[in-house]
Structures are given as structure tokens and as C-alpha cells.
Amino acid sequence: MTSVDARPPETAASDGAASSVLYTYDLAPTKKEGRRWGAYNVFTLWANDVHSLGNYAFAIGLFALGLNVWGILAAFALASLLLFLLLTLSGFMGHKTGVPFPVMSRIAFGIKGAKIPAAVRGIVAIAWFGIQTYLASTVLSALLVALFPGLAPLDENALLGQSTLGWITFLALWVVQLVIVSYGMQMIRRYMAFAAPTTLLTMCALAVWMFVRADASISLSIDAPLAGGEMWLQILQAAALWVVIYGTFVLNFCDFTRSARSRASIVRGNVIGIPLNMLFFAGIVVVLSGAQFKLDGRVITSPTDIVRTIPNMALLAVASLALIALTVAVNLLANFVAPIYALIDLFPRRLNFRRAGVVSAVIGLVILPWNLYNSPLVVNYFLGGLGALLGPLFGVIMADYWLLRKSRVNVPDLYTEHPQGEYHYRRGFNPRAVAAFVPSAAVAVVVALVPAFASVAGFSWFVGAFLGAALYAVIADRTAPIRDVDGEAIAVAAE
């Protein structure tokens, strides 16, 4: 990894040199020649992220709420189509400009105002990094106790809300992820390529095993399934919530597609990874939940409930390790890369990719994430409220890029503090973007958190995104010149 002290090029911007505050090796655009992310690499993003433990818990919860098999499949079919469109549009932005999300945000919000969306995305990601690491550590702790019963006493005490065994497993997985990230995006890409087939084969094998246990048939619903309008409302809400889960990714997908070889590779990877993979995921969900319900009338809450019932210790170990590898992959993708770029953007002269990874990991540790996860108030209000802000951010950024600029970007000017720079706006802030974001964000948070709107809370992301895009489309400045200049002159080699 190149040092953060790499000097910005003198010809970085049309009206002046690139600023050392805005331009570092890690924030620089990537050269088009040498980009390595093909369709398979894009697919592995989704092969890993879709099959996370949290996603399984969410999807299996739909069965518990009363959606039948066909309702669950319909919800995921609708959600996958929406996500394919949103993620493809977001991915194209990364491929064209070659810049990470904090820099991409400068287009709409200004060279200083971009720190707002980057900080929101980073805070959400760091919190969930710690929580996901904790969830993986619980699987590892359970496996170790099953293999070595003498360790059970280490899992019965408590220090700062965590047992001794819990601390050991959490720190072990924390270190593993930190080591992977320290080698940069190339190592993350390689880890995903390994974890994706492992995840798919493991979950498929688990579903087949459960199907055979249930005599090759499953329950299509619980005893009192939803019907009529109530069922369709739940389908729409489930689809909307699934999109909300990926509200983080649709913002910073450019962090990965900035290394994509072509638009075609993004489309192909998204087609296989989103509609096809998500329906495969939904199929596994209905088999696991339907088979377990047929066996004993019990609705499971997570695949770990089934893994723990595997009678063969060797198979139990393999399945548990696969779930841990999966959770690590999800964490690296969704919750580690985003805060790293956000921290580099905030402290460009002090941090590079590796150092920012250490800082992000340390914060994810010191917040004691198990206490966050076990507090409904924190998860629902703090993280839920921050999550509701992602829709308005997406709406403003997309409206600016696709509707106003029609994908024309002056990449060198993203790195200049010169007052005549295209993205300097007013002292580095675009007041029109902020003016569109603030009221739409307020509405989105109210819809997400106020009990009176509980019946439509699942649509908060869409409400915020639509309002943000609509407001910005109305008040955006259409008199300023818009130039399309690539960043090849200041670009660095892609990871």
C-alpha cells in the first residue's frame, strides 16, 4: 500500500493543483487499464453478503410472521429486481469515475460537504462491524464448547458484558479480519472468491439435509398464514425492508466497482448475484424453515439453530466454520471497507488504508458491540435512525449524477480546493444538496421511528430517497457549467 504522503500531481485539476487534503493514494481514481474485478468478483460480493446470518434471520422471520412459501419468494423476487436496478446504477458510477464513495459524494455535496454522507455511512458500518464480529464469535464459542466441553466454565462468567470465552473468540475473529484488511482490497477480493463457493455449498447441503430429514417435503406455511390484503402488504413491506438492508451497499458500491473491468462485468455479476442468487437464497430459507416446522412445529430463528442439531461432530464443525467464514466475508464487504475510506477522507494526512483499518477495528471493539446488539433501544433508534438517513443521501446523489449531470463528471476537480473548482460550490458545501437532504432525512427518520407510522416504517428508505431526489431535482443549480473530464492523468493502479 502506497504511503499517504504520496504527493498529489501538479496537474490534478483544471484550475490548480490537487489538494493534499483531498488527494491521497487511497482516495485517488483508479486507472482503467489494469482493473481486475470481473463478473465473478462482483458475483462473489452478493454470494457472500446475501447469505449472511442476519439476512437468514430476517427471511426466516417472514415465515414466522405468516407469509407462505410463495409469498416469501414473491417478496424476494420484487426486492431483487429493485436492487438490481439501484446497484447497477450505483456500480456504473464507480466504474466511470474510479473513485471511492467519500470522493463520489463530493460531486453532489461539495468537497467539504461530502464528509456528511461519508460520516453517516462510516458510523453505521463500524457499529455493525462490531455486532457481526460478535455474532460470529458466538458461533465459534458454541463450536468450541461442543468440541471441548471442559471450556464451558469459561462461557459462564462476565467481564464488561462478555464471558472469557466470548472475549477470546471475539478477539480471535477481530484479529483475523484486521489481518485480511491490512493487505488491501486485493486480499479482500481473494478472500471473497474463496468464501463464496464455500458458503453456497454449505447452505445448499444444509437445506438438502433438512429436506431429507423431513421425508422430502416441507410445510408451505405456519398453521395460520396471512391471506388477502394483509398478505400482500407484508410482501411489499418485506421487499422494502430487504432493499433497506442493502441501503448501505447501494451508497458505497462504487468502492468495489471502481476496480471493475467494464460495465458489462458489473451487469453480469449483478444478474447472477442479485436476482438469481437472491431467489436461490429464498429457496434455501423456505426449505429450512418449512422442513423444521414440519418436523416439530417449531419456527427457527437462524441457520445456527439447525447447525447445532447436526448429530455428527465433524459435520457440525464444518458447518459452523463455514458460517463463521461467511460472517467474516460479509463484515469485510459491508462494514469494513466503507469506514476505512471515510476515515481516510477525514484524516488524509495521517491515515492510509491499513491504518484506517486498524482505527476502524479498534472503534468497533471499544464500543462493546454485544451491549449494542442486546439493547433494542440502541439498535432500533440509534442505528435505525442512522439507517433512515441513507435513503435521502442516495436520492440526492443519484439525482445529481443521473438527472442533473447525466453522468458527466470532472474527476480532477474532485481533488482541488480552488474556488473555481466545479465542486467547490460555497466554501466547499453545496447548499442545495444540504437543503434537499435535511427535510427528506427528517421525514425518513420520523417514518422509521415514530410509533404512529409503524405500519409503513419499512418504507422509510424509499420515502427518504424519493423526497431527497425530488427536492434536489427541483432546487438544483442548472446554470453552472458541467464538464466531463476523466481522471486518468491523476489515477493510480487499481487493486
Side-chain angles (χ1 to χ4, degrees), residues 258-275:
R258 65 193 292 246
S259 296
R261 294 171 185 161
S262 65
R263 278 189 168 199
S265 65
I266 296 172
V267 172
R268 288 196 300 269
N270 280 352
V271 166
I272 302 172
I274 301 176

Side-chain angles (χ1 to χ4, degrees), residues 394-428:
F394 180 79
V396 171
I397 291 171
M398 291 293 114
D400 181 82
Y401 185 89
W402 291 106
L403 298 181
L404 179 66
R405 301 182 183 279
K406 295 181 172 52
S407 76
R408 293 169 294 171
V409 180
N410 184 347
V411 176
D413 270 23
L414 291 170
Y415 300 94
T416 180
E417 294 183 282
H418 195 284
Q420 298 304 313
E422 195 165 330
Y423 309 105
H424 190 270
Y425 295 110
R426 188 177 300 172
R427 297 181 179 177

Side-chain angles (χ1 to χ4, degrees), residues 375-401:
S375 170
L377 182 67
V378 172
V379 172
N380 293 334
Y381 286 92
F382 177 66
L383 293 180
L386 282 174
L389 302 180
L390 301 178
L393 289 175
F394 180 79
V396 171
I397 291 171
M398 291 293 114
D400 181 82
Y401 185 89

Side-chain angles (χ1 to χ4, degrees), residues 175-422:
V175 169
V176 166
Q177 293 174 92
L178 189 56
V179 169
I180 293 172
V181 167
S182 70
Y183 286 95
M185 289 294 288
Q186 185 175 353
M187 181 59 72
I188 293 176
R189 175 174 62 88
R190 290 175 178 173
Y191 180 81
M192 289 190 305
F194 152 76
T198 303
T199 296
L200 295 177
L201 289 173
T202 300
M203 299 311 299
C204 187
L206 191 60
V208 169
W209 178 67
M210 283 296 294
F211 190 65
V212 171
R213 281 187 66 197
D215 297 325
S217 64
I218 63 172
S219 294
L220 297 181
S221 68
I222 59 175
D223 294 331
L226 298 175
E230 193 177 12
M231 178 190 71
W232 283 106
L233 178 60
Q234 186 61 59
I235 289 174
L236 292 175
Q237 284 195 329
L241 284 170
W242 190 245
V243 174
V244 170
I245 289 172
Y246 284 87
T248 53
F249 237 134
V250 295
L251 271 180
N252 75 300
F253 190 29
C254 59
D255 288 342
F256 304 94
T257 57
R258 65 193 292 246
S259 296
R261 294 171 185 161
S262 65
R263 278 189 168 199
S265 65
I266 296 172
V267 172
R268 288 196 300 269
N270 280 352
V271 166
I272 302 172
I274 301 176
L276 296 180
N277 181 44
M278 285 185 178
L279 288 176
F280 176 69
F281 165 83
I284 291 176
V285 166
V286 300
V287 169
L288 293 180
S289 52
Q292 186 67 57
F293 193 79
K294 183 190 175 186
L295 285 170
D296 57 14
R298 182 170 63 96
V299 178
I300 60 174
T301 59
S302 168
T304 54
D305 295 339
I306 292 176
V307 169
R308 292 189 180 108
T309 67
I310 297 175
N312 184 287
M313 190 59 70
L315 294 178
L316 170 65
V318 170
S320 297
L321 290 174
L323 290 179
I324 293 168
L326 160 65
T327 305
V328 169
V330 171
N331 234 5
L332 292 173
L333 297 173
N335 303 318
F336 219 157
V337 173
I340 285 175
Y341 282 125
L343 286 169
I344 295 172
D345 186 51
L346 290 171
F347 307 101
R349 290 173 176 160
R350 295 183 178 273
L351 298 178
N352 60 9
F353 197 94
R354 181 174 295 168
R355 294 174 196 162
V358 173
V359 173
S360 180
V362 169
I363 296 173
L365 169 63
V366 299
I367 61 174
L368 304 180
W370 44 88
N371 292 331
L372 296 181
Y373 182 74
N374 293 322
S375 170
L377 182 67
V378 172
V379 172
N380 293 334
Y381 286 92
F382 177 66
L383 293 180
L386 282 174
L389 302 180
L390 301 178
L393 289 175
F394 180 79
V396 171
I397 291 171
M398 291 293 114
D400 181 82
Y401 185 89
W402 291 106
L403 298 181
L404 179 66
R405 301 182 183 279
K406 295 181 172 52
S407 76
R408 293 169 294 171
V409 180
N410 184 347
V411 176
D413 270 23
L414 291 170
Y415 300 94
T416 180
E417 294 183 282
H418 195 284
Q420 298 304 313
E422 195 165 330

Side-chain angles (χ1 to χ4, degrees), residues 148-162:
F148 310 102
L151 295 176
L154 295 178
D155 205 26
E156 296 171 357
N157 61 338
L159 175 64
L160 298 176
Q162 181 75 294

